[in-house]
Coordinates of all heavy atoms in Angstrom, one line a residue:
M185 N 11.6 3.2 -5.0 CA 11.5 2.4 -3.8 C 10.5 3.1 -2.8 O 10.6 4.3 -2.6 CB 12.8 2.2 -3.1 CG 12.8 1.3 -1.9 SD 14.5 1.1 -1.4 CE 14.2 0.3 0.1
P186 N 9.6 2.3 -2.3 CA 8.6 3.0 -1.4 C 9.3 3.4 -0.1 O 10.2 2.8 0.4 CB 7.6 1.9 -1.1 CG 8.3 0.6 -1.4 CD 9.3 0.9 -2.4
Q187 N 8.7 4.5 0.5 CA 9.2 5.0 1.8 C 8.9 4.0 2.9 O 8.0 3.2 2.8 CB 8.6 6.3 2.1 CG 8.9 7.4 1.0 CD 10.4 7.8 1.1 OE1 11.0 7.9 2.1 NE2 10.9 8.0 -0.1
A188 N 9.7 4.0 3.9 CA 9.5 3.1 5.0 C 8.1 3.2 5.7 O 7.5 2.3 6.0 CB 10.6 3.3 6.1
A189 N 7.6 4.5 5.8 CA 6.3 4.7 6.4 C 5.2 4.0 5.5 O 4.3 3.5 6.1 CB 6.1 6.2 6.5
D190 N 5.4 4.1 4.2 CA 4.4 3.4 3.3 C 4.5 1.9 3.5 O 3.5 1.2 3.5 CB 4.7 3.8 1.9 CG 4.4 5.2 1.6 OD1 3.6 5.9 2.3 OD2 4.9 5.7 0.6
S191 N 5.7 1.4 3.7 CA 5.8 0.0 3.9 C 5.2 -0.5 5.2 O 4.5 -1.5 5.2 CB 7.3 -0.4 3.9 OG 7.9 -0.2 2.7
W192 N 5.3 0.3 6.2 CA 4.7 -0.1 7.5 C 3.2 0.0 7.4 O 2.5 -0.7 8.1 CB 5.3 0.6 8.7 CG 6.7 0.3 8.9 CD1 7.8 1.1 8.8 CD2 7.3 -1.1 9.1 NE1 9.0 0.4 9.0 CE2 8.7 -0.9 9.2 CE3 6.7 -2.3 9.3 CZ2 9.5 -2.0 9.5 CZ3 7.5 -3.4 9.5 CH2 8.9 -3.3 9.6
K193 N 2.7 1.0 6.6 CA 1.3 1.1 6.4 C 0.8 -0.1 5.7 O -0.3 -0.7 6.1 CB 1.0 2.4 5.6 CG -0.5 2.6 5.4 CD -0.7 3.9 4.6 CE -2.2 4.1 4.4 NZ -2.4 5.2 3.5
D194 N 1.5 -0.6 4.7 CA 1.2 -1.8 4.0 C 1.2 -3.0 5.0 O 0.3 -3.9 4.9 CB 2.2 -2.1 2.9 CG 1.9 -3.3 2.1 OD1 0.7 -3.6 1.9 OD2 2.8 -4.0 1.6
Y195 N 2.1 -3.1 5.9 CA 2.2 -4.1 6.9 C 1.0 -4.1 7.7 O 0.4 -5.2 8.0 CB 3.5 -4.0 7.7 CG 3.6 -5.0 8.8 CD1 4.1 -6.2 8.6 CD2 3.1 -4.7 10.1 CE1 4.2 -7.2 9.6 CE2 3.2 -5.6 11.2 CZ 3.8 -6.8 10.9 OH 3.8 -7.7 11.9
R196 N 0.6 -3.0 8.2 CA -0.6 -2.9 9.0 C -1.9 -3.3 8.3 O -2.8 -3.9 8.8 CB -0.8 -1.5 9.6 CG 0.2 -1.1 10.7 CD -0.1 0.1 11.4 NE 0.0 1.3 10.5 CZ 1.1 2.0 10.3 NH1 2.2 1.7 10.8 NH2 1.1 3.0 9.4
Q197 N -2.0 -3.0 7.0 CA -3.1 -3.4 6.2 C -3.1 -4.9 6.0 O -4.2 -5.5 6.1 CB -3.0 -2.8 4.8 CG -3.4 -1.3 4.8 CD -3.2 -0.7 3.4 OE1 -2.4 -1.2 2.6 NE2 -3.8 0.5 3.2
R198 N -2.0 -5.5 5.8 CA -1.9 -7.0 5.7 C -2.3 -7.6 7.1 O -3.0 -8.7 7.1 CB -0.5 -7.4 5.3 CG -0.2 -7.0 3.9 CD 1.3 -7.3 3.6 NE 1.7 -6.7 2.3 CZ 2.3 -7.4 1.4 NH1 2.7 -8.6 1.6 NH2 2.7 -6.8 0.3
R199 N -1.8 -7.0 8.2 CA -2.2 -7.6 9.5 C -3.7 -7.4 9.7 O -4.3 -8.4 10.3 CB -1.4 -6.8 10.5 CG -1.3 -7.5 11.9 CD -0.4 -6.8 12.8 NE -0.7 -5.4 13.0 CZ 0.0 -4.6 13.6 NH1 1.1 -5.0 14.2 NH2 -0.4 -3.3 13.7
R200 N -4.3 -6.3 9.3 CA -5.7 -6.1 9.5 C -6.5 -7.1 8.6 O -7.5 -7.6 9.0 CB -6.1 -4.7 9.1 CG -7.3 -4.2 9.7 CD -7.5 -2.7 9.4 NE -6.4 -1.9 9.9 CZ -5.7 -1.0 9.2 NH1 -6.0 -0.8 7.9 NH2 -4.7 -0.3 9.7
L201 N -6.0 -7.4 7.4 CA -6.6 -8.4 6.5 C -6.7 -9.8 7.2 O -7.7 -10.4 7.2 CB -5.9 -8.5 5.2 CG -6.3 -9.7 4.3 CD1 -7.7 -9.4 3.7 CD2 -5.3 -9.9 3.2
L202 N -5.6 -10.1 7.9 CA -5.6 -11.4 8.6 C -6.6 -11.4 9.8 O -7.3 -12.4 9.9 CB -4.2 -11.7 9.2 CG -4.0 -12.9 10.1 CD1 -4.4 -14.1 9.4 CD2 -2.6 -13.0 10.7
L203 N -6.7 -10.3 10.5 CA -7.6 -10.2 11.6 C -9.0 -10.4 11.1 O -9.8 -11.2 11.6 CB -7.5 -8.8 12.3 CG -8.6 -8.5 13.3 CD1 -8.4 -9.4 14.5 CD2 -8.5 -7.1 13.7
W204 N -9.4 -9.7 10.0 CA -10.8 -9.8 9.4 C -11.0 -11.1 8.9 O -12.2 -11.6 8.9 CB -11.0 -8.7 8.4 CG -11.3 -7.3 9.1 CD1 -10.4 -6.3 9.1 CD2 -12.4 -7.0 9.9 NE1 -11.0 -5.3 9.9 CE2 -12.2 -5.7 10.3 CE3 -13.5 -7.6 10.3 CZ2 -13.1 -5.0 11.2 CZ3 -14.5 -7.0 11.1 CH2 -14.2 -5.7 11.5
A205 N -10.0 -11.8 8.2 CA -10.2 -13.1 7.7 C -10.5 -14.1 8.8 O -11.4 -14.9 8.7 CB -9.0 -13.5 6.9
V206 N -9.8 -14.0 9.9 CA -10.0 -14.9 11.1 C -11.4 -14.6 11.7 O -12.1 -15.6 12.0 CB -8.9 -14.8 12.1 CG1 -9.2 -15.5 13.4 CG2 -7.6 -15.3 11.5
L207 N -11.7 -13.3 11.8 CA -13.1 -13.0 12.4 C -14.2 -13.6 11.5 O -15.2 -14.1 12.0 CB -13.2 -11.5 12.6 CG -12.4 -10.9 13.7 CD1 -12.6 -9.4 13.7 CD2 -12.8 -11.5 15.0
A208 N -14.0 -13.4 10.2 CA -15.0 -14.0 9.2 C -15.1 -15.5 9.3 O -16.2 -16.1 9.3 CB -14.7 -13.6 7.8
G209 N -13.9 -16.1 9.5 CA -13.9 -17.6 9.7 C -14.6 -18.0 11.0 O -15.3 -19.0 11.0
L210 N -14.3 -17.2 12.0 CA -15.0 -17.5 13.3 C -16.5 -17.4 13.2 O -17.3 -18.2 13.7 CB -14.5 -16.6 14.4 CG -13.1 -17.0 14.9 CD1 -12.6 -15.9 15.9 CD2 -13.1 -18.4 15.6
A211 N -17.0 -16.4 12.4 CA -18.4 -16.2 12.2 C -19.0 -17.4 11.4 O -20.1 -17.9 11.7 CB -18.6 -14.9 11.5
A212 N -18.2 -17.8 10.4 CA -18.7 -19.0 9.7 C -18.7 -20.2 10.5 O -19.6 -21.1 10.5 CB -17.8 -19.2 8.5
C213 N -17.8 -20.4 11.4 CA -17.7 -21.5 12.4 C -18.9 -21.4 13.3 O -19.5 -22.5 13.6 CB -16.4 -21.5 13.1 SG -16.0 -23.0 13.9
A214 N -19.2 -20.2 13.8 CA -20.3 -20.1 14.8 C -21.6 -20.4 14.0 O -22.5 -21.0 14.6 CB -20.4 -18.7 15.3
G215 N -21.7 -19.9 12.8 CA -22.9 -20.3 12.0 C -23.0 -21.8 11.8 O -24.1 -22.3 11.8
G216 N -21.9 -22.4 11.6 CA -21.9 -23.9 11.4 C -22.4 -24.6 12.6 O -23.1 -25.6 12.6
V217 N -22.0 -24.1 13.8 CA -22.4 -24.7 15.1 C -24.0 -24.5 15.2 O -24.7 -25.5 15.6 CB -21.7 -24.0 16.3 CG1 -22.4 -24.4 17.6 CG2 -20.2 -24.4 16.3
L218 N -24.5 -23.3 14.9 CA -25.9 -23.1 15.0 C -26.7 -24.0 14.1 O -27.7 -24.6 14.4 CB -26.2 -21.6 14.8 CG -25.7 -20.7 15.8 CD1 -26.0 -19.2 15.4 CD2 -26.3 -21.0 17.2
L219 N -26.2 -24.1 12.8 CA -26.9 -24.9 11.8 C -26.8 -26.4 12.2 O -27.7 -27.1 12.0 CB -26.2 -24.7 10.5 CG -27.1 -24.9 9.2 CD1 -28.3 -24.1 9.3 CD2 -26.3 -24.6 8.0
A220 N -25.6 -26.8 12.8 CA -25.5 -28.2 13.2 C -26.5 -28.5 14.3 O -27.0 -29.6 14.3 CB -24.0 -28.4 13.6
R221 N -26.7 -27.6 15.2 CA -27.6 -27.9 16.3 C -29.1 -27.9 15.7 O -29.9 -28.8 16.2 CB -27.5 -26.8 17.3 CG -26.4 -26.9 18.2 CD -26.4 -25.9 19.3 NE -25.3 -26.2 20.3 CZ -25.2 -25.6 21.4 NH1 -26.1 -24.7 21.8 NH2 -24.2 -25.9 22.3
A222 N -29.4 -27.0 14.8 CA -30.7 -27.0 14.3 C -31.0 -28.2 13.4 O -32.2 -28.7 13.5 CB -30.9 -25.7 13.4
R223 N -30.0 -28.7 12.7 CA -30.3 -29.9 11.9 C -29.9 -31.2 12.5 O -30.0 -32.3 11.9 CB -29.5 -29.7 10.6 CG -30.0 -28.6 9.7 CD -29.2 -28.6 8.4 NE -29.8 -27.6 7.5 CZ -29.4 -27.5 6.3 NH1 -28.5 -28.3 5.8 NH2 -30.0 -26.6 5.5
H224 N -29.4 -31.2 13.7 CA -28.9 -32.4 14.4 C -27.9 -33.2 13.5 O -28.0 -34.4 13.3 CB -30.1 -33.3 14.8 CG -31.0 -32.5 15.7 ND1 -30.7 -32.3 17.0 CD2 -32.2 -32.0 15.5 CE1 -31.7 -31.6 17.6 NE2 -32.7 -31.4 16.7
S225 N -27.0 -32.4 12.9 CA -26.0 -33.0 12.1 C -24.7 -32.3 12.3 O -24.6 -31.1 12.6 CB -26.4 -32.9 10.6 OG -25.4 -33.2 9.7
V226 N -23.6 -33.0 12.1 CA -22.3 -32.4 12.3 C -21.7 -31.8 11.1 O -20.7 -31.1 11.1 CB -21.3 -33.4 13.0 CG1 -21.7 -33.8 14.4 CG2 -21.1 -34.6 12.1
G227 N -22.3 -32.1 9.9 CA -21.8 -31.6 8.7 C -21.6 -30.1 8.6 O -20.5 -29.6 8.2
P228 N -22.6 -29.3 9.0 CA -22.4 -27.8 8.9 C -21.2 -27.4 9.9 O -20.6 -26.4 9.6 CB -23.7 -27.3 9.4 CG -24.7 -28.3 9.1 CD -24.0 -29.6 9.3
F229 N -21.1 -28.1 11.0 CA -20.0 -27.7 11.9 C -18.6 -27.9 11.2 O -17.8 -27.0 11.3 CB -20.0 -28.5 13.2 CG -18.8 -28.3 14.0 CD1 -18.6 -27.1 14.7 CD2 -17.9 -29.3 14.1 CE1 -17.4 -27.0 15.5 CE2 -16.7 -29.2 14.9 CZ -16.5 -28.0 15.6
Y230 N -18.4 -29.0 10.6 CA -17.2 -29.2 9.9 C -17.0 -28.3 8.7 O -15.9 -27.9 8.4 CB -17.1 -30.7 9.4 CG -16.9 -31.6 10.6 CD1 -17.7 -32.7 10.8 CD2 -15.8 -31.5 11.4 CE1 -17.5 -33.6 11.8 CE2 -15.6 -32.3 12.5 CZ -16.5 -33.4 12.7 OH -16.3 -34.2 13.8
A231 N -18.1 -27.9 8.0 CA -18.0 -26.9 6.9 C -17.5 -25.6 7.5 O -16.7 -24.9 6.9 CB -19.3 -26.8 6.2
G232 N -18.1 -25.2 8.7 CA -17.7 -23.9 9.3 C -16.2 -24.0 9.7 O -15.5 -23.0 9.6
L233 N -15.8 -25.1 10.3 CA -14.4 -25.3 10.7 C -13.5 -25.2 9.5 O -12.4 -24.6 9.6 CB -14.3 -26.7 11.4 CG -13.2 -26.8 12.4 CD1 -13.4 -25.8 13.5 CD2 -13.2 -28.2 13.0
A234 N -13.9 -25.8 8.4 CA -13.0 -25.7 7.2 C -13.0 -24.3 6.7 O -11.9 -23.8 6.2 CB -13.6 -26.6 6.1
A235 N -14.1 -23.6 6.8 CA -14.1 -22.1 6.4 C -13.1 -21.3 7.3 O -12.4 -20.5 6.8 CB -15.5 -21.6 6.5
L236 N -13.1 -21.6 8.6 CA -12.2 -20.9 9.5 C -10.8 -21.2 9.1 O -9.9 -20.3 9.0 CB -12.5 -21.4 10.9 CG -11.5 -20.9 12.0 CD1 -11.4 -19.3 12.0 CD2 -11.8 -21.4 13.3
A237 N -10.4 -22.5 8.9 CA -9.0 -22.8 8.5 C -8.6 -22.2 7.2 O -7.5 -21.7 7.0 CB -8.9 -24.3 8.5
G238 N -9.6 -22.2 6.2 CA -9.3 -21.6 4.9 C -9.1 -20.1 5.0 O -8.2 -19.6 4.4
A239 N -10.0 -19.5 5.7 CA -9.9 -18.0 5.9 C -8.6 -17.6 6.6 O -7.9 -16.7 6.2 CB -11.1 -17.5 6.6
A240 N -8.2 -18.4 7.6 CA -7.0 -18.1 8.3 C -5.7 -18.3 7.4 O -4.8 -17.4 7.4 CB -6.8 -18.9 9.6
A241 N -5.7 -19.3 6.6 CA -4.6 -19.6 5.7 C -4.6 -18.5 4.6 O -3.5 -18.0 4.3 CB -4.7 -21.0 5.1
W242 N -5.7 -18.1 4.1 CA -5.8 -17.1 3.0 C -5.4 -15.8 3.6 O -4.6 -15.0 2.9 CB -7.2 -17.1 2.5 CG -7.4 -16.0 1.5 CD1 -7.1 -16.1 0.1 CD2 -8.0 -14.7 1.7 NE1 -7.4 -14.9 -0.5 CE2 -7.9 -14.1 0.4 CE3 -8.5 -14.1 2.8 CZ2 -8.4 -12.8 0.3 CZ3 -8.9 -12.8 2.7 CH2 -8.9 -12.1 1.4
G243 N -5.8 -15.4 4.8 CA -5.4 -14.1 5.3 C -4.0 -14.1 5.8 O -3.4 -13.0 5.9
A244 N -3.4 -15.2 6.1 CA -2.0 -15.2 6.7 C -1.0 -15.0 5.6 O 0.1 -14.5 5.8 CB -1.8 -16.5 7.4
Q245 N -1.3 -15.5 4.4 CA -0.3 -15.5 3.3 C 0.3 -14.1 3.0 O 1.5 -13.9 2.9 CB -0.8 -16.2 2.1 CG 0.3 -16.5 1.0 CD 1.3 -17.4 1.6 OE1 1.0 -18.4 2.3 NE2 2.6 -17.1 1.4
P246 N -0.6 -13.1 2.8 CA 0.0 -11.7 2.5 C 0.9 -11.2 3.6 O 1.9 -10.6 3.3 CB -1.2 -10.8 2.3 CG -2.3 -11.8 2.0 CD -2.0 -13.0 2.7
L247 N 0.6 -11.5 4.9 CA 1.4 -11.0 6.0 C 2.7 -11.8 6.0 O 3.8 -11.2 6.2 CB 0.7 -11.2 7.3 CG 1.4 -10.6 8.5 CD1 1.6 -9.1 8.4 CD2 0.5 -10.9 9.8
A248 N 2.7 -13.1 5.7 CA 4.0 -13.9 5.6 C 4.9 -13.4 4.5 O 6.1 -13.5 4.5 CB 3.6 -15.3 5.5
D249 N 4.3 -12.9 3.4 CA 5.0 -12.5 2.2 C 5.5 -11.0 2.3 O 6.1 -10.5 1.4 CB 4.2 -12.6 1.0 CG 4.0 -14.1 0.6 OD1 4.8 -14.9 1.1 OD2 3.1 -14.4 -0.2
F250 N 5.2 -10.3 3.4 CA 5.5 -8.9 3.5 C 7.0 -8.7 3.5 O 7.8 -9.3 4.3 CB 5.0 -8.3 4.8 CG 5.4 -6.9 5.1 CD1 4.9 -5.9 4.3 CD2 6.4 -6.6 6.0 CE1 5.3 -4.6 4.6 CE2 6.8 -5.3 6.2 CZ 6.2 -4.3 5.5
P251 N 7.6 -7.9 2.5 CA 9.0 -7.7 2.5 C 9.5 -6.7 3.5 O 8.9 -5.6 3.7 CB 9.2 -7.2 1.1 CG 8.0 -6.5 0.7 CD 6.9 -7.2 1.4
C252 N 10.5 -7.0 4.2 CA 11.1 -6.1 5.2 C 11.6 -4.8 4.5 O 12.3 -4.9 3.5 CB 12.2 -6.8 5.9 SG 13.2 -5.7 7.1
P253 N 11.2 -3.6 5.0 CA 11.7 -2.4 4.4 C 13.2 -2.2 4.5 O 13.8 -1.4 3.8 CB 10.9 -1.3 5.1 CG 9.9 -1.9 5.9 CD 10.3 -3.4 6.1
H254 N 13.8 -2.8 5.5 CA 15.2 -2.6 5.7 C 16.1 -3.6 4.8 O 17.0 -3.1 4.2 CB 15.5 -2.9 7.2 CG 16.9 -2.5 7.6 ND1 17.9 -3.5 7.9 CD2 17.5 -1.4 7.7 CE1 19.0 -2.9 8.2 NE2 18.8 -1.6 8.1
C255 N 15.8 -4.9 4.8 CA 16.6 -5.8 4.1 C 16.0 -6.4 2.8 O 16.7 -7.0 2.0 CB 17.1 -6.9 5.0 SG 15.8 -8.1 5.5
G256 N 14.7 -6.2 2.7 CA 14.0 -6.7 1.5 C 13.6 -8.1 1.5 O 12.9 -8.6 0.6
E257 N 14.0 -8.9 2.5 CA 13.6 -10.3 2.7 C 12.2 -10.3 3.3 O 11.7 -9.3 3.8 CB 14.6 -11.0 3.6 CG 16.0 -11.1 3.0 CD 16.1 -12.1 1.8 OE1 15.3 -13.0 1.7 OE2 17.0 -11.9 1.0
T258 N 11.6 -11.5 3.4 CA 10.3 -11.6 4.0 C 10.4 -11.3 5.5 O 11.3 -11.8 6.1 CB 9.7 -13.0 3.8 OG1 10.6 -13.9 4.1 CG2 9.2 -13.1 2.3
F259 N 9.6 -10.5 6.0 CA 9.7 -10.0 7.4 C 9.4 -11.1 8.4 O 10.1 -11.3 9.4 CB 8.7 -8.9 7.7 CG 8.9 -8.2 9.0 CD1 9.9 -7.2 9.1 CD2 8.1 -8.5 10.0 CE1 10.1 -6.6 10.4 CE2 8.3 -7.8 11.3 CZ 9.2 -6.9 11.4
A260 N 8.3 -11.9 8.2 CA 7.9 -12.9 9.1 C 8.1 -14.3 8.7 O 7.5 -15.2 9.2 CB 6.4 -12.6 9.4
H261 N 8.9 -14.5 7.7 CA 9.0 -15.9 7.1 C 10.5 -16.1 6.7 O 11.0 -15.3 6.0 CB 8.1 -16.0 5.9 CG 8.1 -17.4 5.3 ND1 8.0 -17.6 4.0 CD2 8.2 -18.6 5.9 CE1 8.0 -18.9 3.7 NE2 8.1 -19.5 4.9
R262 N 11.1 -17.1 7.3 CA 12.5 -17.4 7.0 C 12.7 -18.9 6.9 O 12.5 -19.6 8.0 CB 13.4 -16.8 8.1 CG 14.9 -17.1 7.8 CD 15.7 -16.5 8.9 NE 17.1 -16.7 8.5 CZ 18.1 -16.3 9.2 NH1 17.9 -15.6 10.3 NH2 19.3 -16.5 8.9
G263 N 13.0 -19.4 5.8 CA 13.1 -20.8 5.6 C 11.8 -21.6 5.9 O 10.8 -21.3 5.3
R264 N 11.9 -22.5 6.9 CA 10.7 -23.2 7.3 C 10.0 -22.5 8.5 O 9.0 -23.0 9.0 CB 11.1 -24.6 7.6 CG 11.6 -25.3 6.4 CD 11.9 -26.7 6.6 NE 10.5 -27.4 6.5 CZ 10.4 -28.7 6.6 NH1 11.4 -29.5 6.7 NH2 9.2 -29.2 6.5
T265 N 10.6 -21.4 8.9 CA 10.1 -20.7 10.1 C 9.1 -19.6 9.7 O 9.5 -18.8 8.8 CB 11.2 -20.1 10.9 OG1 12.1 -21.1 11.3 CG2 10.7 -19.4 12.2
R266 N 7.9 -19.6 10.2 CA 6.9 -18.6 10.0 C 6.4 -18.1 11.3 O 5.8 -18.9 12.0 CB 5.8 -19.1 9.1 CG 4.8 -18.0 8.8 CD 3.6 -18.6 8.0 NE 4.0 -18.8 6.6 CZ 3.2 -19.0 5.6 NH1 1.9 -19.1 5.9 NH2 3.6 -19.1 4.4
N267 N 6.6 -16.9 11.6 CA 6.1 -16.3 12.9 C 5.4 -15.0 12.6 O 6.0 -13.9 12.4 CB 7.2 -16.1 13.9 CG 6.8 -15.5 15.2 OD1 5.6 -15.3 15.4 ND2 7.7 -15.3 16.1
L268 N 4.1 -15.1 12.5 CA 3.3 -13.9 12.1 C 3.2 -12.9 13.3 O 2.7 -11.8 13.1 CB 1.9 -14.3 11.6 CG 1.9 -15.2 10.4 CD1 0.5 -15.5 10.0 CD2 2.6 -14.5 9.2
F269 N 3.6 -13.3 14.5 CA 3.5 -12.4 15.6 C 4.8 -11.8 16.0 O 5.0 -11.2 17.1 CB 2.9 -13.2 16.8 CG 1.6 -13.8 16.6 CD1 1.5 -15.2 16.3 CD2 0.5 -13.0 16.6 CE1 0.2 -15.7 16.1 CE2 -0.8 -13.6 16.4 CZ -0.9 -14.9 16.1
T270 N 5.8 -12.0 15.1 CA 7.1 -11.5 15.5 C 7.1 -9.9 15.6 O 6.4 -9.3 14.9 CB 8.2 -11.9 14.4 OG1 9.5 -11.5 14.8 CG2 7.9 -11.4 13.0
R271 N 8.0 -9.4 16.4 CA 8.1 -8.0 16.6 C 9.3 -7.4 15.9 O 9.6 -6.2 15.9 CB 8.2 -7.7 18.1 CG 7.0 -8.2 18.9 CD 5.7 -7.5 18.7 NE 5.8 -6.1 19.0 CZ 4.9 -5.2 18.6 NH1 3.9 -5.5 17.8 NH2 5.1 -3.9 18.9
S272 N 10.1 -8.3 15.3 CA 11.3 -7.9 14.5 C 11.5 -8.8 13.3 O 11.1 -10.0 13.3 CB 12.5 -7.9 15.4 OG 12.8 -9.2 15.9
C273 N 12.2 -8.3 12.3 CA 12.4 -9.1 11.1 C 13.2 -10.4 11.4 O 14.2 -10.3 12.2 CB 13.2 -8.2 10.1 SG 13.7 -9.1 8.6
L274 N 12.8 -11.5 10.8 CA 13.5 -12.7 11.1 C 14.8 -12.8 10.4 O 15.6 -13.7 10.6 CB 12.6 -13.9 10.7 CG 11.3 -14.1 11.4 CD1 10.5 -15.3 10.9 CD2 11.5 -14.2 12.9
H275 N 15.1 -11.9 9.5 CA 16.4 -11.9 8.8 C 17.4 -10.9 9.4 O 18.5 -11.3 9.7 CB 16.2 -11.5 7.3 CG 15.4 -12.6 6.6 ND1 16.0 -13.7 6.0 CD2 14.1 -12.8 6.4 CE1 15.1 -14.5 5.4 NE2 13.9 -14.0 5.6
C276 N 17.0 -9.6 9.6 CA 17.9 -8.6 10.0 C 17.6 -8.0 11.4 O 18.3 -7.1 11.8 CB 17.9 -7.5 9.0 SG 16.4 -6.5 8.9
R277 N 16.6 -8.5 12.0 CA 16.2 -8.1 13.4 C 15.7 -6.6 13.4 O 15.7 -6.0 14.5 CB 17.3 -8.3 14.4 CG 17.7 -9.7 14.6 CD 16.5 -10.4 15.3 NE 16.7 -11.8 15.4 CZ 15.7 -12.6 15.5 NH1 14.5 -12.2 15.6 NH2 15.9 -13.9 15.6
Q278 N 15.3 -6.1 12.3 CA 14.7 -4.7 12.2 C 13.4 -4.8 13.0 O 12.5 -5.5 12.7 CB 14.5 -4.3 10.8 CG 13.6 -3.1 10.6 CD 14.4 -1.8 10.8 OE1 15.6 -1.8 10.8 NE2 13.8 -0.7 11.2
P279 N 13.3 -3.9 14.1 CA 12.0 -4.0 14.9 C 10.9 -3.3 14.2 O 11.1 -2.5 13.3 CB 12.4 -3.3 16.2 CG 13.5 -2.4 15.8 CD 14.2 -3.0 14.6
L280 N 9.7 -3.7 14.6 CA 8.5 -3.0 14.1 C 8.5 -1.6 14.7 O 9.0 -1.4 15.8 CB 7.2 -3.7 14.6 CG 6.8 -5.0 14.0 CD1 5.6 -5.6 14.7 CD2 6.4 -4.7 12.5
P281 N 8.1 -0.6 13.9 CA 8.0 0.8 14.4 C 6.8 0.9 15.4 O 5.9 0.0 15.4 CB 7.8 1.6 13.2 CG 7.1 0.7 12.3 CD 7.6 -0.7 12.5
G282 N 6.9 1.9 16.2 CA 5.7 2.1 17.1 C 6.2 2.2 18.5 O 7.0 3.1 18.8
R283 N 5.6 1.4 19.4 CA 5.9 1.6 20.8 C 7.3 1.5 21.2 O 8.1 0.7 20.7 CB 5.1 0.5 21.6 CG 3.6 0.6 21.4 CD 3.0 -0.5 22.3 NE 1.7 -0.8 21.6 CZ 1.2 -2.0 21.5 NH1 1.9 -3.0 22.1 NH2 0.1 -2.2 20.9
R284 N 7.7 2.5 22.0 CA 9.1 2.4 22.6 C 9.0 1.8 23.9 O 8.1 2.0 24.7 CB 9.7 3.8 22.6 CG 10.0 4.4 21.3 CD 10.7 5.7 21.4 NE 11.0 6.2 20.0 CZ 11.5 7.3 19.8 NH1 11.9 8.1 20.8 NH2 11.7 7.7 18.6
R285 N 10.1 1.1 24.3 CA 10.1 0.5 25.6 C 11.2 1.2 26.4 O 12.2 1.6 25.8 CB 10.4 -1.0 25.5 CG 9.3 -1.7 24.8 CD 9.5 -3.2 24.8 NE 8.4 -3.8 24.2 CZ 8.5 -4.8 23.3 NH1 9.7 -5.3 23.0 NH2 7.4 -5.3 22.8
G286 N 11.1 1.2 27.7 CA 12.1 1.7 28.6 C 11.9 3.1 28.8 O 12.3 4.1 29.1
Ligands
ZN234 ZN1 14.8 -7.4 7.5

């Protein structure tokens, strides 16, 4: 069984993958806007928008599938609920490590 520190490192890698996927999608969308203006056509804009949506969906899946190191269930996905910005496990309420409050 992996150590908890390794699991949280994996979590941060998955979160970073989502960030880069969204940034790449935004770059594709911006390129689509520029190409649409140059060609006076909306086709490239929609292609860039589709690339953004696809990149975001592709990058979000590994983070949604991340298993909680405490309970083993998916950390950010429970039933029909998916919250990729959650600060605690949706099953056992295990908080993310890191900043302490108070
Ligand atoms: Zn949990």
Side-chain angles (χ1 to χ4, degrees):
M185 185 173 171
Q187 298 292 322
D190 291 339
S191 294
W192 292 120
K193 183 179 178 186
D194 181 34
Y195 176 83
R196 287 190 297 273
Q197 286 175 339
R198 291 173 191 228
R199 196 172 55 188
R200 204 172 301 124
L201 172 70
L202 172 60
L203 172 70
W204 283 109
V206 169
L207 288 176
L210 285 173
C213 195
V217 167
L218 294 176
L219 205 57
R221 283 186 174 191
R223 291 186 175 185
H224 302 287
S225 168
V226 294
F229 170 72
Y230 288 125
L233 209 56
L236 172 61
W242 176 81
Q245 193 59 45
L247 187 59
D249 290 341
F250 174 73
C252 173
H254 189 252
C255 69
E257 298 288 334
T258 50
F259 189 82
H261 185 216
R262 180 179 183 177
R264 300 186 78 172
T265 303
R266 179 184 283 193
N267 182 0
L268 299 178
F269 301 104
T270 186
R271 304 291 298 162
S272 62
C273 176
L274 294 181
H275 291 271
C276 68
R277 295 291 173 204
Q278 169 77 21
L280 284 174
R283 296 181 208 144
R284 290 187 180 176
R285 295 187 179 135

